[in-house]
Amino acid sequence: MVTERLYYSDSHLIEFEARVVDVTDRVSGWTAVVLNRTAFYPTGGGQPSDTGTLNGSRVVECIDDGDNGVLHVVQGAAPVRDAVVRGRVDWARRLDHMQQHTGQHILSQAFVKLFNAPTKSFRVLEASCQIDVELNNPTTEVIERAVELANNVIWEDRVITILNVTPEEAAELPLRKESAREGELRLIEIEGFDLTPCGGTHAFRTGEVGLIAVRSWERAKGLTRIEFVAGMRALADYRKANKSAREMAALFSTGRDDAPQLAAQMVEENKELHRRVRVLEEVVATVEAEKLLTTADAGIVTEVFDGRDVESLKKLAHALIAKPATVALLASRDKDTARLVFARSSDAPGDMSVLMREACTMLDGRGGGKPEMAQGGGKRLAEVEETLRLIKQKLTED
Ligand SMILES: [Zn+2]
């Protein structure tokens, strides 16, 4: 092996000395350095790469090149071949990955122990982690039972041991999952709880994981995809969730835990208010129509409003054309859009759809409908009044 992998035997080793075996330029313009030994964990097995420094230059990523060793991608001045360098792994990132990864071993085994549900895949994401579990009919209650067991194992502070065994020895052991690797196997044993082959970095004791919490879950491709956070990510997520909940509660001038009930109450009240507003709009439209009809010129009512939406214009139009031989040409300057509704009673003249298309052309917009009722809109707010005047003229000329 070109590179001795120090992280296999000591996951807490972050400072080391090594000799440079090879240096190659990368397409990115950065440099890849191969060392005779390394404490840097390269991306693999669902666990992201370590970062850190080599003689003070940033190591931005490490790539596993199999028998050719571990590539340390260096940004900045790279060491030369045969130089002895000092490496330093970013501890906060390593600890975070160990908490997520060890947490995953514990949570996955909890699902096996309680529900005989194995984990099919695992990913460490930016702020959380995902496992895909063969768990049928998941419910929050079922998942929380596994979370409960996992946290108990964490708080029992069980010892975690690395075992190197032959394939024959492995065949006799109760492994949680099969390994795809050939030859000697590296097993991670959580005292009295879990035994599984893995090449990642793990905590020394389960207590180091701190806490596991499930953020959400969903059914995906016949499996249950569970998003969880462990250790410092669980604390960060708690802070974020608590902040959101308290900000929401402040809107209702109440305590955090009372906010959902008040929010639900407000949603209900809002629905009821909408219903009452619709009823009142009908009443207002009738009264308004009576008043507007006194301004009708040859049976044509034209009016431009401010800030009225299409639904409101349509209600008014309906109320107006309830009177025989009436045409309603209504418009509204609603924010930055001109809205139009044209309507006529069944015995009044004119094709509203045709007139609407003409009006919309003048307003640089679009619209259409039926001969008795049409709606549309446009962008030229300043020309709304002139447009209605021209349409009314056309209607009386016909
Ligand atoms: Zn592992």
Side-chain angles (χ1 to χ4, degrees):
M1 288 296 252
V2 175
T3 307
E4 184 195 347
R5 296 165 192 242
L6 302 169
Y7 56 83
Y8 274 157
S9 47
D10 186 354
S11 61
H12 290 58
L13 177 74
I14 56 163
E15 281 195 312
F16 66 101
E17 271 190 2
R19 190 171 48 80
V20 176
V21 175
D22 194 20
V23 180
T24 49
D25 286 332
R26 306 277 298 170
V27 184
S28 59
W30 296 345
T31 310
V33 177
V34 179
L35 305 172
N36 68 333
R37 58 209 292 265
T38 190
F40 282 92
Y41 180 81
T43 307
Q47 184 178 330
S49 161
D50 280 326
T51 56
T53 55
L54 271 188
N55 276 1
S57 290
R58 282 305 295 168
V59 174
V60 293
E61 197 198 353
C62 294
I63 300 159
D64 195 337
D65 198 15
D67 289 344
N68 299 322
V70 174
L71 303 178
H72 302 73
V73 180
V74 173
Q75 193 180 16
V80 294
R81 192 188 287 246
D82 288 328
V84 171
V85 291
R86 192 156 188 82
R88 190 183 171 86
V89 174
D90 291 333
W91 171 245
R93 183 175 162 94
R94 162 67 67 83
L95 176 62
D96 170 41
H97 292 165
M98 283 200 296
Q99 287 177 328
Q100 310 317 312
H101 193 139
T102 310
Q104 180 261 314
H105 282 232
I106 298 168
L107 185 59
S108 288
Q109 177 64 303
F111 278 108
V112 170
K113 284 233 192 284
L114 291 174
F115 310 113
N116 198 24
T119 293
K120 303 311 281 184
S121 61
F122 162 59
R123 284 163 295 280
V124 176
L125 306 175
E126 195 62 31
S128 64
C129 307
Q130 276 178 354
I131 47 173
D132 291 330
V133 183
E134 271 186 2
L135 181 68
N136 296 316
N137 309 317
T139 62
T140 297
E141 195 197 357
V142 157
I143 288 169
E144 285 305 321
R145 275 180 62 198
V147 171
E148 190 83 16
L149 173 56
N151 280 303
N152 283 330
V153 168
I154 289 171
W155 300 327
E156 283 157 10
D157 201 22
R158 299 188 188 211
V159 171
I160 301 173
T161 327
I162 301 160
L163 306 168
N164 291 301
V165 299
T166 63
E168 293 72 31
E169 288 169 321
E172 301 295 312
L173 293 169
L175 302 186
R176 176 160 51 79
K177 63 170 189 180
E178 303 272 310
S179 173
R181 292 177 79 98
E182 291 183 5
E184 195 175 71
L185 274 186
R186 180 177 190 258
L187 306 180
I188 306 303
E189 181 179 35
I190 297 173
E191 187 190 2
F193 187 68
D194 184 45
L195 183 63
T196 197
C198 186
T201 54
H202 305 86
F204 282 168
R205 303 181 71 99
T206 57
E208 229 177 328
V209 176
L211 182 77
I212 287 179
V214 163
R215 274 180 58 111
S216 64
W217 57 271
E218 59 176 1
R219 294 290 288 167
K221 293 172 190 159
L223 300 166
T224 300
R225 175 161 291 176
I226 296 167
E227 188 188 3
F228 74 93
V229 281
M232 57 179 92
R233 291 192 183 199
L235 176 61
D237 193 61
Y238 170 79
R239 284 178 175 146
K240 204 170 148 193
N242 192 40
K243 184 169 180 283
S244 300
R246 287 177 62 178
E247 280 173 6
M248 221 256 278
L251 295 176
F252 296 98
S253 305
T254 187
R256 189 193 68 177
D257 300 338
D258 294 326
Q261 199 202 328
L262 283 173
Q265 218 172 304
M266 186 169 270
V267 168
E268 277 311 305
E269 277 172 18
N270 196 42
K271 277 185 199 160
E272 176 60 17
L273 282 173
H274 269 290
R275 201 188 60 76
R276 284 175 62 189
V277 165
R278 278 195 294 275
V279 171
L280 289 172
E281 274 178 350
E282 302 275 354
V283 176
V284 169
T286 311
V287 174
E288 207 179 3
E290 273 171 31
K291 197 176 145 201
L292 276 175
L293 282 167
T294 64
T295 70
D297 173 19
I300 303 171
V301 175
T302 57
E303 192 71 27
V304 178
F305 300 93
D306 281 307
R308 233 168 144 152
D309 65 13
V310 170
E311 287 314 304
S312 164
L313 289 180
K314 277 161 85 175
K315 275 205 176 71
L316 178 57
H318 277 292
L320 287 165
I321 63 171
K323 190 182 177 202
T326 303
V327 178
L329 305 176
L330 306 179
S332 168
R333 287 179 284 251
D334 190 13
K335 293 175 191 127
D336 55 353
T337 307
R339 306 198 184 281
L340 300 177
V341 171
F342 297 168
R344 66 162 168 83
S345 42
S346 53
D347 57 350
D351 187 330
M352 299 302 118
S353 170
V354 172
L355 292 172
M356 180 56 74
R357 280 200 296 273
E358 285 181 32
C360 288
T361 305
M362 295 179 211
L363 294 175
D364 189 20
R366 287 169 56 177
K370 294 178 176 162
E372 293 186 12
M373 169 82 84
Q375 69 181 71
K379 295 283 160 205
R380 293 189 191 144
L381 281 173
E383 282 158 56
V384 172
E385 262 141 12
E386 177 62 7
T387 301
L388 286 197
R389 196 187 65 77
L390 289 170
I391 295 296
K392 183 183 171 186
Q393 202 174 33
K394 268 186 178 296
L395 197 55
T396 46
E397 276 168 6
D398 293 346

